[in-house]
Amino acid sequence: MSTAAVEKTVSTEKAPDGDRRLLALTGLLQLERRARAAPTAAELGFLIVNETLGLVRYRQAALWQGRAGGPGTVAALSGVSVIDRQVPYVMWLRRVLDWVHAQHGLGTPVRLVAAELPPDLARAWAEWLPTHALWLPLHGRRDRDPCALLLARDEDWTVGELHLLSYAADAYGHAWHALTGGRRRSVWLRRRQVLVAALLAGAAVVLALPVPQSALAPAEVIPREPIILRAPIDGVVDRFEVKPNEPVREGQLLLVLDRTKLQNRLEVARKALEVAQTEHRQAGQQALFDPRAKANLAVLKGRMDQQAAEVAYVEELLDRIEIRAPRAGIAIFNDVADWIGRPVTIGERILTVADPQEAELEIRLPVADAIALEPDAEVRLFLNIDPQNVIAARLSYSSYQAETTPDGVVAYRLKATLDPAVAPPRIGLKGIAKLYGERSPLILSILRRPLTAARQRLGL
């Protein structure tokens, strides 16, 4: 204990009652100020166990600090600057203070005597402590960090001393929890920094992991190796014998072109052929008597052959006005009403006959989303009508030049072969295709488009 605290206690006892109360109050205020000004928990603990002697007399003092989930520790001892926690006294005192905390908690001050302790602890009381002791809890804002002061002396404690010590305990508790709480906060900050560093390191590792590049593009199910039926002659569509997407068999009549113009042309050609035949026959009869008629016989024969060829040609055109299915499949074309009465030119595409079991994907990959794709690259199709089920496919064709789509987007035309183990979807269905390319670090896959835009803008 400090000499100043002992001298102050002696002077307080010799002073009159009024002066003694004033001196005690002054000592309490000074002690509270010094406690709150203590820079470290070690200095505060030394002040609590030694300088409290300026308020009340005692022989020994010990500061106990609890620990969550385990036994407490002796944080400070009166008259000792450095504590050896392996000596018998400190080890016995720690057990006593843990028992007192377990029995009485941190409520109000508690007077202690050896008789209240368990026999194994009470036997050593006379060896280590005076007769009367006081358990003085130091309350703070953190109930999970218990702390208490043990004071011991030969005489019992008075009510006035308990009252005075309660004020001191309040100041001690506030100062002690402020210092130890700050230390815990610094430990928590260090742990948080370590955690943040670990998370950043983990994120760096994850971002460096190689993952396949991917791109999304609109896709459509199209027939594979379809047969395209075109207009065989110039004409007008008269009628359709089938409906769009209707199954057809080989040789079935699909549509008929208008025959009126060809029928009239055939009639004219036949009349002309009859005239040519008549003229040729008459010239043959006259050639027996007239040499000049014999000379025209070859010309008339050529004109007759020409008219006969015209009749045969028109008859052949009439045979072509009926368009039949070259194979079994489904007839793919637009609405019938869009074709009836519509003039078509020779070679114009009218409809397609395709096998519904032979389908593939047509993908339009925008230039802005293009990635390096290897032959037989993995493709996954998500249909608009069934997005939760994925259809697997493999890349089979990729165009070298980009084309402008009907939507006005410049894109590459790709084709993919569907998985033969799965029933192909209906021709004409649309969806989104996800294409997988070469492997690259995850961060490059995430920043691919921003980096591309930055390079295009900055010219890097």
Side-chain angles (χ1 to χ4, degrees):
M1 303 179 187
S2 64
T3 305
V6 174
E7 293 177 352
K8 188 172 182 180
T9 303
V10 174
S11 62
T12 302
E13 291 177 349
K14 294 181 178 180
D17 291 342
D19 295 340
R20 188 183 302 119
R21 294 190 184 94
L22 181 60
L23 290 174
L25 179 59
T26 304
L28 175 63
L29 295 177
Q30 291 178 353
L31 196 59
E32 288 183 354
R33 183 177 63 181
R34 293 177 60 191
R36 291 191 171 95
T40 63
E43 294 184 17
L44 177 60
F46 184 84
L47 182 144
I48 292 174
V49 297
N50 292 287
E51 301 300 328
T52 308
L53 189 61
L55 295 180
V56 295
R57 291 184 303 104
Y58 55 85
R59 281 176 51 189
Q60 293 173 244
L63 182 63
W64 174 84
Q65 183 179 10
R67 292 179 179 177
T73 182
V74 179
L77 286 175
S78 59
V80 177
S81 58
V82 178
I83 301 176
D84 185 0
R85 292 182 171 80
Q86 301 303 318
V87 299
Y89 168 64
V90 176
M91 298 176 64
W92 175 83
L93 184 61
R94 179 187 60 79
R95 293 174 56 199
V96 170
L97 297 178
D98 287 344
W99 181 87
V100 175
H101 174 256
Q103 295 296 319
H104 300 284
L106 297 175
T108 59
V110 178
R111 293 184 176 91
L112 298 175
V113 293
E116 296 180 358
L117 270 62
D120 57 332
L121 296 177
R123 282 192 295 268
W125 181 286
E127 181 181 357
W128 303 116
L129 289 179
T131 305
H132 297 277
L134 178 66
W135 170 263
L136 187 64
L138 305 183
H139 297 288
R141 292 177 297 177
R142 299 175 179 269
D143 294 336
R144 67 173 182 270
D145 301 324
C147 184
L149 175 63
L150 180 73
L151 301 176
R153 68 182 185 183
D154 295 320
E155 62 273 12
D156 198 3
W157 306 91
T158 66
V159 177
E161 289 174 333
L162 294 178
H163 186 71
L164 189 63
L165 287 172
S166 65
Y167 287 102
D170 184 70
Y172 290 160
H174 181 271
W176 179 262
H177 287 88
L179 290 175
T180 55
R183 182 172 59 188
R184 282 189 295 274
R185 284 194 296 272
S186 64
V187 172
W188 180 81
L189 289 176
R190 288 195 296 271
R191 291 179 179 176
R192 186 177 66 175
Q193 292 173 354
V194 172
L195 178 60
V196 171
L199 291 177
L200 291 177
V205 172
V206 172
L207 293 176
L209 292 176
V211 297
Q213 297 184 13
S214 61
L216 298 176
E220 181 181 359
V221 181
I222 63 172
R224 185 173 61 183
E225 298 181 357
I227 297 179
I228 299 175
L229 299 182
R230 304 179 183 275
I233 59 175
D234 294 340
V236 177
V237 178
D238 183 32
R239 69 182 186 276
F240 269 84
E241 299 295 336
V242 294
K243 297 179 181 180
N245 301 328
E246 180 181 342
V248 297
R249 63 183 182 278
E250 184 178 354
Q252 180 179 346
L253 180 61
L254 302 179
L255 65 106
V256 179
L257 300 180
D258 184 64
R259 64 171 55 240
T260 304
K261 183 177 179 180
L262 290 178
Q263 192 67 41
N264 294 335
R265 183 179 173 182
L266 179 61
E267 293 295 331
V268 172
R270 286 175 177 174
K271 294 295 183 182
L273 177 60
E274 292 178 0
V275 172
Q277 290 174 343
T278 302
E279 289 179 349
H280 180 267
R281 188 169 51 254
Q282 291 177 354
Q285 293 175 355
Q286 293 178 358
L288 297 174
F289 308 102
D290 188 355
R292 295 171 57 185
K294 187 176 180 179
N296 291 332
L297 188 62
V299 175
L300 294 175
K301 179 66 168 62
R303 185 179 300 171
M304 183 184 65
D305 293 340
Q306 180 182 3
Q307 295 300 327
E310 177 68 16
V311 171
Y313 175 68
V314 175
E315 288 177 346
E316 182 182 356
L317 292 181
L318 280 172
D319 292 338
R320 294 182 183 180
I321 64 174
E322 293 184 352
I323 300 177
R324 298 181 179 274
R327 59 175 288 186
I330 57 173
I332 303 174
F333 62 99
N334 296 331
D335 189 9
V336 173
D338 296 337
W339 287 99
I340 299 299
R342 176 178 170 179
V344 293
T345 58
I346 185 171
E348 182 177 351
R349 179 174 178 172
I350 299 178
L351 56 82
T352 301
V353 177
D355 186 352
Q357 299 301 319
E358 297 291 334
E360 62 182 359
L361 291 183
E362 183 182 52
I363 305 169
R364 296 289 183 171
L365 179 61
V367 173
D369 297 330
I371 59 175
L373 296 171
E374 296 291 336
D376 201 40
E378 181 183 0
V379 180
R380 294 183 179 181
L381 175 64
F382 301 87
L383 292 174
N384 294 337
I385 63 171
D386 191 16
Q388 68 272 14
N389 293 322
V390 181
I391 300 176
R394 290 287 177 179
L395 187 67
S396 59
Y397 167 78
S398 176
S399 64
Y400 284 94
Q401 291 184 340
E403 303 173 351
T404 303
T405 65
D407 298 333
V409 179
V410 180
Y412 293 99
R413 185 168 180 259
L414 311 175
K415 288 186 177 181
T417 303
L418 296 170
D419 186 359
V422 181
R426 182 175 63 82
I427 295 175
L429 294 180
K430 295 184 178 182
I432 297 295
K434 188 172 185 179
L435 302 101
Y436 294 89
E438 300 176 347
R439 287 183 172 271
S440 64
L442 177 60
I443 187 171
L444 292 182
S445 299
I446 297 175
L447 300 179
R448 177 172 58 87
R449 296 192 67 175
L451 289 176
T452 302
R455 294 187 64 180
Q456 292 175 351
R457 286 181 173 273
L458 302 178
L460 299 177

